[in-house]
Amino acid sequence: MSEALPAPRGGLLSEAALLRLCLWFAALLLAVGLALPLATLLARAFLGADDEFVGLRHFAAYAATPALLVSAWNSTWTAALTTVIVVPIAFLFAYGLTRSRMPGRPAFRAVMLIPILAPSLLPALSLIYLFGNQGLLRVLMPEGASIYGAPGIVMAQVIHTFPHAAIILSVALGMADARLFEAAETLKAGRLRIFRDVTLPAARYGLVSATVVVFTLVVTDFGIPKVIGGQFPVLATDVYKQVIGQQNFSMGAVVALVLLLPALFSFLAERWAQRMQAGAISGRAVLYVAKPRLARDLPLFLLCLAVAAVLLGIVAMAAWGSLIRFWPYNMSLTLANYDFARFDSEGWGSLWTSVSMAGLAALLGTPVVFITAYLLERGAAGGAVSGFVRVAAIAPLAVPGLVLGLAYILFFNHPANPLGFLYGTLAILVLNCVVHFYTVAHLTAVTAIRQLDPEFEAVGASLRVPRRVTFGRVTVPISLPAILEIAVYLFVNAMTTVSAVVFLYGPGSKPASVAVVQMDEAGQIAAAAAMACVILGITASVKILQIGVVRLMTSRAGWRAGR
C-alpha cells in the first residue's frame, strides 16, 4: 500500500479529518450491518427462551436429534457429488475457451454467464417441467425415481454452480506461461505428458478455488432445496423451518452456526488458493496462444456446444412453461401467468420492490464500497478503525445469506435495539444486500485503485490541490469501468438473491425472488417461472447495457488503451 500523502487544508474540515470521518462511517456501517448481528446470533445460541444462559444445551440437543444430523449429512454429500460433477465439466469448458482455437468462443462465454443472471430457482423450476410428475421427459427417469429430492437438487445445483467454476478455471487456465509449453515441446514431451506435468500443475490452485466455491454454494443455497427438494432435508431448509416454522430462534442459531463452519473453511481455503495462484505467474511470463488442432478443437467444441445447449434449454424450458395455460392438460399459449396479481397478493409490486431494492443497493452501496476501498489503499495507514474495516470488508464472503438474514432478525428485533424500526422495511433489505455482497465489490474496487499510479495524488498534493478534488477529477473518471462493474454486480445479486432476504421482508416489501418461492409452494409453477424469467430479463438487460457503456467509454478514452 502506498504511504499516506500530506494533504492541503481547507474548508470546514481538514483533509485528514474528512478521511477519518469517512472511515468511521464505513466502520459504523459494517459494525451495524455485519459485526453486531453476527455477535447477536452467536450469543443467541447460548441463551434459552427467556434469554437465560444455557451454555451448550442447544448444541447437545442438536447432536442428539437424528433428523438434524441427517440434514447435515445430506448437505455434505449432495455438495460433494455436485462438486465432483461440476468441476471436471467446467475444467474442460474453460480449457476449450482458453486453450483451443474452436469457433464460437465469445458466444460460449456469454452463454456460460446465464445462470448467474437468473435466480437459483429457475433451473429447479425447469427441471420440474422436464422431469416432474407431469414432466415432458418423465419417461426418461428410472422406474420409481422422482426428480423431487436429492436427484433434483444435484441436477439444479450443477447448472446453478457451473458458471462460478467455469469463470475461476478460465482465469486459472488463461494465466499460462507459453515458455513452459515451448520448453516441453523442445524436450519432445508428448501432449498427454505436457497436460499432466505443465497444464494441471499450473491450474491446481484454480481447481482448489473452484472446488471450494462450488461446495460452499451448494451447502448454503436455500432456493433450490426449497423448490425441488421435496421432503429431502438439508441444513439451509432446516434453518428456515426452525425459525419460520417452529419459531425456535435458539436452535435456528445453532443450525446457522453449523452452516457457517463449512462456509468459513471454504472461505479460508479459497483465499489461500487465490494468493498462491496470484504468485504462480511472474512478470516476465509470455501469454500462451493455442494453435489450431482439429483433434483437440472438435471434441472441445462439441462439449461446449452440449453445455451451452443445456443452459439455453433450461432457460427456454422455463420461458415456455411460463406461457402454458395449464400444464399439461391445456398446452395453449397465454400471457395470463404474467398477471401476477392473480397468484400473489403483491402482484407486480414485488418485482418493483426488487428493482427498487437492487437499484438502491447499487446506487448507495457502490460509492460506499469504492470510497472505503480508496481510503484503505490511499488514506491514512494503520489504526484500529482501518484494521477493523479491512477485516469486516472481507468477512461477508464467509457468511451465507441465510445466516446473515437470521442474524438480522435477532439483532434488529431485539427490544433494546433502537434500530428496530428498520425491520420489515426496504431499508433493511438494501443494507442486507450491500453487506452480503460487499466482499467481491470491495476486491474489485481495491484491484482498480491499485492499478492507478500513486503519482496522481503526489502531483495533486504538490500543486496544493485538495485530495477530494483529485479523487473526483482523476481517480473516479479513470475507475469508471470498475465502478460500473461494482454497481451491476450489486444490482444483479440483489435481484436474484433469496436466502439473504427471505427472513427480512414485511408487508409491501416482498422481493420478487421470495414471491417465486411462495408461488411455487402454492403450486403456481407457471407463474413462478414467469416471475423468474422477468427477473432474468431485467438482469440480462442491465448486463448488456453495462457492456455497451464500457465499450463506449473505452472507445472514447483511447489513451487508456495505449492509442
Side-chain angles (χ1 to χ4, degrees), residues 111 217 459:
V111 173
L217 285 173
V459 171

mmCIF file with all atom_site columns, all heavy atoms in Angstrom, residues 111 217 459:
data_model
loop_
_atom_site.group_PDB
_atom_site.id
_atom_site.type_symbol
_atom_site.label_atom_id
_atom_site.label_alt_id
_atom_site.label_comp_id
_atom_site.label_asym_id
_atom_site.label_entity_id
_atom_site.label_seq_id
_atom_site.pdbx_PDB_ins_code
_atom_site.Cartn_x
_atom_site.Cartn_y
_atom_site.Cartn_z
_atom_site.occupancy
_atom_site.B_iso_or_equiv
_atom_site.pdbx_formal_charge
_atom_site.auth_seq_id
_atom_site.auth_comp_id
_atom_site.auth_asym_id
_atom_site.auth_atom_id
_atom_site.pdbx_PDB_model_num
ATOM 1  N N   . VAL A 1 111 ? -22.989 -17.335 -23.041 1.00 0.00 ? 111 VAL A N   1
ATOM 2  C CA  . VAL A 1 111 ? -23.998 -18.306 -22.584 1.00 0.00 ? 111 VAL A CA  1
ATOM 3  C C   . VAL A 1 111 ? -23.647 -18.837 -21.203 1.00 0.00 ? 111 VAL A C   1
ATOM 4  O O   . VAL A 1 111 ? -24.522 -19.098 -20.377 1.00 0.00 ? 111 VAL A O   1
ATOM 5  C CB  . VAL A 1 111 ? -24.116 -19.455 -23.611 1.00 0.00 ? 111 VAL A CB  1
ATOM 6  C CG1 . VAL A 1 111 ? -25.010 -20.562 -23.086 1.00 0.00 ? 111 VAL A CG1 1
ATOM 7  C CG2 . VAL A 1 111 ? -24.649 -18.920 -24.926 1.00 0.00 ? 111 VAL A CG2 1
ATOM 8  N N   . LEU A 1 217 ? -21.320 -23.022 -2.259  1.00 0.00 ? 217 LEU A N   1
ATOM 9  C CA  . LEU A 1 217 ? -22.575 -22.544 -2.848  1.00 0.00 ? 217 LEU A CA  1
ATOM 10 C C   . LEU A 1 217 ? -23.696 -23.562 -2.642  1.00 0.00 ? 217 LEU A C   1
ATOM 11 O O   . LEU A 1 217 ? -24.837 -23.200 -2.342  1.00 0.00 ? 217 LEU A O   1
ATOM 12 C CB  . LEU A 1 217 ? -22.376 -22.268 -4.343  1.00 0.00 ? 217 LEU A CB  1
ATOM 13 C CG  . LEU A 1 217 ? -21.611 -21.002 -4.708  1.00 0.00 ? 217 LEU A CG  1
ATOM 14 C CD1 . LEU A 1 217 ? -21.347 -20.956 -6.210  1.00 0.00 ? 217 LEU A CD1 1
ATOM 15 C CD2 . LEU A 1 217 ? -22.397 -19.762 -4.287  1.00 0.00 ? 217 LEU A CD2 1
ATOM 16 N N   . VAL A 1 459 ? 1.251   14.447  -7.272  1.00 0.00 ? 459 VAL A N   1
ATOM 17 C CA  . VAL A 1 459 ? 1.242   15.668  -8.090  1.00 0.00 ? 459 VAL A CA  1
ATOM 18 C C   . VAL A 1 459 ? 0.185   16.643  -7.566  1.00 0.00 ? 459 VAL A C   1
ATOM 19 O O   . VAL A 1 459 ? 0.409   17.852  -7.450  1.00 0.00 ? 459 VAL A O   1
ATOM 20 C CB  . VAL A 1 459 ? 0.977   15.317  -9.569  1.00 0.00 ? 459 VAL A CB  1
ATOM 21 C CG1 . VAL A 1 459 ? 0.744   16.584  -10.389 1.00 0.00 ? 459 VAL A CG1 1
ATOM 22 C CG2 . VAL A 1 459 ? 2.143   14.524  -10.138 1.00 0.00 ? 459 VAL A CG2 1
#
